[in-house]
Amino acid sequence: MCGIICYIGKQNSVPILIEGLKRLEYRGYDSAGIASLDSESNNVLFVKSVGKVSELEKKVKSHKFKGDYGIAHTRWATHGKPTESNAHPHTDCSKKLFLIHNGIIENYEVLKRELEKKGHRFVSDTDTEVLAHLIEDNLDGNFEDAVRKSLGMVEGTFGIAVIHRDFPRKIIVARRGSPLIIGVGEGEYLAASDVNAFIRYTNRVIYLNDDEMALLNDDNIVITDLNLNRISKEPETIDWSVEGDDKKGFKHFMLKEIYEQPKTVENAIRGRLIEGEGISKLGGLEPVIEKIMNLKKLTFVSCGTSFYAGLYGKYIFERLTDLDVYVDYASEFRYRNLKLSEYDGVMAISQSGETADTLAALREAKRKGALVLGLVNVVGSTIAKETDAGVYCHAGPEIGVASTKIFVSQCVILNLIALLIGRRKGLSIFDGMNLIREIKKLPEHIKTILENGNVIRDIARKYLSFKDFLYIGRHLNYPVAMEGALKLKEISYVHAEGYPAGEMKHGPISLIDENFPTVAIATNGFTYEKIVSNIQEIKARNGKVIAIATEGNTEIEKIVDDIIFVPETIDILQPILNVIPLQLFAYYFADFKGCDIDKPRNLAKSVTVE
Ligand code: M6R
C-alpha cells in the first residue's frame, strides 16, 4: 500500500508528481504529500495534506511553485492516524532531507529510542520518520553511503525515495519487498510503485529487485546492491496502455469496469483458443508444460476476490483435469507447514501482482521446491516476475478498489488453463470444442446482462433500507455468492455474508426474518432443485429473496420476491455470468447510499502489507 512517484528532468516536476499520485491513489488515499526542489534556487516546495490527492493539489496550486525534481506519496496508514504530520514525505532534524516510504520498518521502535538518545526529535507516529533520522545520523559527506548504511540497519519492507538539499539533483530510490519501477525518459527519469503512475511519459522501464538501490540524477542512473556493487540493467519496453485512466463518461471507474467486461473476456481469450482442436494455447506456460503435466497436486493461493476466483478454479480443474486441486488463502498458506516437492504446483492469483500475503505464500512454496505459477494482471509486477511461469489477464488497469473485471478475467483464464491440461490428459476433443464455443459466446451474454442494468438498479433501490444480506450459492456458484457478498460489503459498508447454500441450515438460517434478505444464485444446473429448496426454507421464515435465475424460468418467479435473469450457458461457465448482476447490485446499492465507490473507506487497491 502507499504510492510513490519521483521525477527528475527538465520539466516542472509538480504537475507530473500530482498526476502520478492520482494514478497511484488506489494504493492508499488517506493523506498525501510532496517535496519538490528547484535546482537553480535550491528552494523547496514541501506540502502535505489529509485526505485525497485533490486536497493536496489545491494546496500545491496556491504556491505556484516550479521545481525540476521531486518526490511525492499517497498514504494508507499503518503506523499512526491519517494526519498531516504522519503523511509523507518525512524529514530529518535539519529539514533538508525528504523521504517517502512504502512498507513497514519493523524495528522502528528500537531505532527510534536510540536516535532519541542521540538528540533526534520526532514529530510523527510513523515508522518511516525513523529512516529519515537514521540517514541523517549516518550522513558523513556521502549521501548514497548514508542511505545504504541506514537501509542495512532496518528490518522490514521498503520502497523508498529520498532527496537532500545539500546533494542537489539526486534522487535515491531503493526497495525490499515493496515495488519500485524506474521509468527512463528522454533526458528525464521517473520512479514509482506502479508503471501506471508514469506510463504517459515513458514505457521504457527498469525493475528494481529487492535490496537494490538506484541513484537518479541529471543524465544517468546508477544501480547498485546495498553494498554499493554496481549492477548493470537495460531498460525494457513494456506494453501497457494508459487506457483506463479516465471514466469514459461513467460515474465511477467501478461502473466503467463492469461495463468493460465483454471486452475483458475478449482480451483474456484473444489468440489463446484453437477451436478446431478443442484446446487452448498459453505461451506463458509452454516452458514448464512438462512439469505441469507431472504435477500431482495444484494449490491456488490468493486473497479477497482473487481467492474466490481460485475457489471457482478448483471446481473447474476438478471437472476438466485429473489434478488434485486445493485452494488456500495466501495469508494462511504462508504459515502452514506443508511438505511440497517438484510434483506440487502453487498458482498465485493476483490482480496487482503485489499482494504481500500472496507473494509470501509464493516464496514459501518456491523455497520448498514447488513449481510456482502466476495468474496476474499487472505486467512486470513482483509476483509475475517471481513465478516460474504464468498467464497474464491482459485486462488493462483496474482502478476501482472493488475488483470486478479482473474476477471475470481470472475465471475465464482458469478455464483456459484447465483446458490446456485437461486436453493432454483425457478430456475429449468434443468437450474441449464445446467449452471453447461457449467461452466465445460469453461477451454477448454479458452484454445482455448489462443491458438489463436498470432492472438491477431498481431492485437495489428497493432494498436500500436493509442492513444485512445473506448470499447463497451451491457448488460452482458458491464462490460467486462469496464474491457477491464481498462486493456489497466493501463498497456499501452493509453487512453481507456469503454461504454455500447447503450450510444455511447449520446456523445462518437462524438470522432469517423479514429484515434479513437473501440473494440466491439459482440458475439452471444439477444443484438447481437444491437451491430452490433452500429458497423455500427462507420464504417459510418470512425472508425476502432476490434470485439470480436463468432466462425463461417462470417457475421460480412464483416463489421469490425479486428476480434477475441471466442468459444460460454451460454449468461450468454460468458463474461468470451470474457474478455480473451481483456486481451491479452492489454498485447501485452503494451509489444510492452515496458511498465513495471507487475508494471505499479503510481499503486500498493493492495490499502490500501483511
Ligand atoms: O491484487 P490482488 O488480486 O492480489 O488483490 C487481492 C485482494 O486484495 C482484492 O481482491 C480485494 O479483496 C478487492 N478489494 C476485492 O474487491
Side-chain angles (χ1 to χ4, degrees), residues 65-105:
F65 182 88
K66 284 190 179 163
D68 44 13
Y69 69 109
I71 59 177
H73 185 272
T74 179
R75 178 170 187 249
W76 186 86
T78 56
H79 295 71
K81 292 205 162 71
T83 59
E84 249 177 53
S85 54
N86 287 338
H88 302 211
H90 287 283
T91 64
D92 58 353
C93 294
S94 76
K95 305 277 179 277
K96 288 180 179 175
L97 176 148
F98 302 91
L99 180 136
I100 54 179
H101 167 227
N102 170 21
I104 293 180
I105 310 290

Side-chain angles (χ1 to χ4, degrees), residues 473-577:
R474 289 188 90 114
H475 194 64
L476 285 149
N477 283 309
Y478 152 49
V480 172
M482 302 299 289
E483 171 60 5
L486 177 64
K487 285 290 86 81
L488 188 68
K489 70 184 122 187
E490 72 178 324
I491 60 170
S492 74
Y493 320 138
V494 158
H495 168 231
E497 281 190 59
Y499 253 91
E503 277 295 296
M504 203 187 66
K505 284 196 283 289
H506 301 285
I509 198 164
S510 68
L511 296 166
I512 298 297
D513 63 14
E514 62 282 8
N515 298 315
F516 205 125
T518 298
V519 178
I521 301 152
T523 42
N524 294 351
F526 75 92
T527 57
Y528 172 74
E529 300 298 338
K530 313 262 177 214
I531 195 117
V532 169
S533 303
N534 296 132
I535 292 173
Q536 298 282 17
E537 288 152 10
I538 293 166
K539 292 309 300 171
R541 285 153 184 89
N542 295 325
K544 294 196 183 312
V545 175
I546 305 168
I548 310 295
T550 308
E551 259 166 14
N553 182 346
T554 46
E555 283 309 299
I556 199 167
E557 267 184 299
K558 296 175 194 154
I559 51 171
V560 300
D561 298 270
D562 288 283
I563 191 156
I564 303 169
F565 287 115
V566 291
E568 185 163 22
T569 177
I570 52 174
D571 70 337
I572 62 171
L573 298 179
Q574 193 66 51
I576 297 174
L577 300 181

Side-chain angles (χ1 to χ4, degrees), residues 241-310:
S241 72
V242 281
E243 184 208 335
D245 69 348
D246 79 62
K247 294 187 197 131
K248 300 245 166 73
F250 286 95
K251 189 170 176 190
H252 294 97
F253 281 110
M254 180 180 174
L255 191 60
K256 172 183 165 258
E257 285 155 6
I258 291 172
Y259 273 82
E260 257 169 36
Q261 291 178 111
K263 189 108 183 99
T264 306
V265 175
E266 284 165 12
N267 290 341
I269 63 177
R270 184 168 299 113
R272 289 172 164 175
L273 293 172
I274 306 170
E275 190 174 335
E277 294 173 42
I279 54 167
S280 56
K281 184 173 159 41
L282 297 165
L285 296 182
E286 268 164 24
V288 295
I289 192 68
E290 291 314 321
K291 288 187 180 166
I292 292 177
M293 299 321 291
N294 287 332
L295 292 179
K296 295 207 162 48
K297 203 170 90 198
L298 179 66
T299 306
F300 296 118
V301 292
S302 41
C303 306
T305 289
S306 295
F307 172 78
Y308 298 134

Side-chain angles (χ1 to χ4, degrees), residues 175 179 301-302 330 347-363 366 372-378 380-390 392:
R175 73 161 272 180
V301 292
S302 41
M347 179 173 282
I349 305 177
S350 176
Q351 187 287 128
S352 60
E354 302 293 348
T355 302
D357 283 320
T358 310
L359 186 57
L362 186 87
R363 287 177 176 161
K366 203 169 191 174
V372 293
L373 305 168
L375 171 50
V376 173
N377 186 43
V378 176
S381 53
T382 310
I383 292 176
K385 288 177 99 63
E386 292 200 14
T387 44
D388 295 318
Y392 278 121

Side-chain angles (χ1 to χ4, degrees), residues 103-119:
I104 293 180
I105 310 290
E106 283 162 8
N107 58 338
Y108 84 102
E109 278 173 329
V110 179
L111 292 169
K112 189 170 179 176
R113 272 198 298 277
E114 283 168 12
L115 288 162
E116 276 174 337
K117 274 190 218 151
K118 291 179 172 179

Side-chain angles (χ1 to χ4, degrees), residues 99-316:
L99 180 136
I100 54 179
H101 167 227
N102 170 21
I104 293 180
I105 310 290
E106 283 162 8
N107 58 338
Y108 84 102
E109 278 173 329
V110 179
L111 292 169
K112 189 170 179 176
R113 272 198 298 277
E114 283 168 12
L115 288 162
E116 276 174 337
K117 274 190 218 151
K118 291 179 172 179
H120 289 267
R121 291 285 159 260
F122 289 82
V123 296
S124 81
D125 311 314
T126 66
D127 52 335
T128 303
E129 193 187 3
V130 167
L131 192 49
H133 288 272
L134 192 59
I135 297 172
E136 178 178 42
D137 205 61
N138 285 322
L139 189 57
D140 188 14
N142 185 322
F143 187 30
E144 293 92 299
D145 211 35
V147 174
R148 177 202 58 79
K149 191 169 174 197
S150 307
L151 292 178
M153 294 166 73
V154 299
E155 285 162 21
T157 55
F158 53 79
I160 61 149
V162 53
I163 54 178
H164 199 295
R165 287 175 87 176
D166 286 349
F167 303 91
R169 291 203 70 76
K170 281 183 179 187
I171 301 178
I172 298 178
V173 294
R175 73 161 272 180
R176 180 187 294 155
S178 299
L180 234 162
I181 303 139
I182 297 166
V184 181
E186 293 298 326
E188 59 190 11
Y189 292 104
L190 298 106
S193 320
D194 176 344
V195 289
N196 256 327
F198 61 66
I199 193 73
R200 274 203 170 183
Y201 299 94
T202 181
N203 62 351
R204 296 175 67 229
V205 303
I206 295 174
Y207 293 95
L208 278 196
N209 290 330
D210 279 351
D211 292 320
E212 287 180 356
M213 188 169 124
L215 171 69
L216 316 180
N217 56 33
D218 270 335
D219 45 16
N220 74 343
I221 165 175
V222 179
I223 302 173
T224 61
D225 63 18
L226 292 186
N227 295 319
L228 296 187
N229 298 310
R230 287 286 280 265
I231 297 170
S232 159
K233 286 193 177 191
E234 287 303 315
E236 313 172 17
T237 302
I238 55 156
D239 178 18
W240 186 252
S241 72
V242 281
E243 184 208 335
D245 69 348
D246 79 62
K247 294 187 197 131
K248 300 245 166 73
F250 286 95
K251 189 170 176 190
H252 294 97
F253 281 110
M254 180 180 174
L255 191 60
K256 172 183 165 258
E257 285 155 6
I258 291 172
Y259 273 82
E260 257 169 36
Q261 291 178 111
K263 189 108 183 99
T264 306
V265 175
E266 284 165 12
N267 290 341
I269 63 177
R270 184 168 299 113
R272 289 172 164 175
L273 293 172
I274 306 170
E275 190 174 335
E277 294 173 42
I279 54 167
S280 56
K281 184 173 159 41
L282 297 165
L285 296 182
E286 268 164 24
V288 295
I289 192 68
E290 291 314 321
K291 288 187 180 166
I292 292 177
M293 299 321 291
N294 287 332
L295 292 179
K296 295 207 162 48
K297 203 170 90 198
L298 179 66
T299 306
F300 296 118
V301 292
S302 41
C303 306
T305 289
S306 295
F307 172 78
Y308 298 134
L311 200 53
Y312 164 77
K314 182 170 114 90
Y315 291 98
I316 299 302

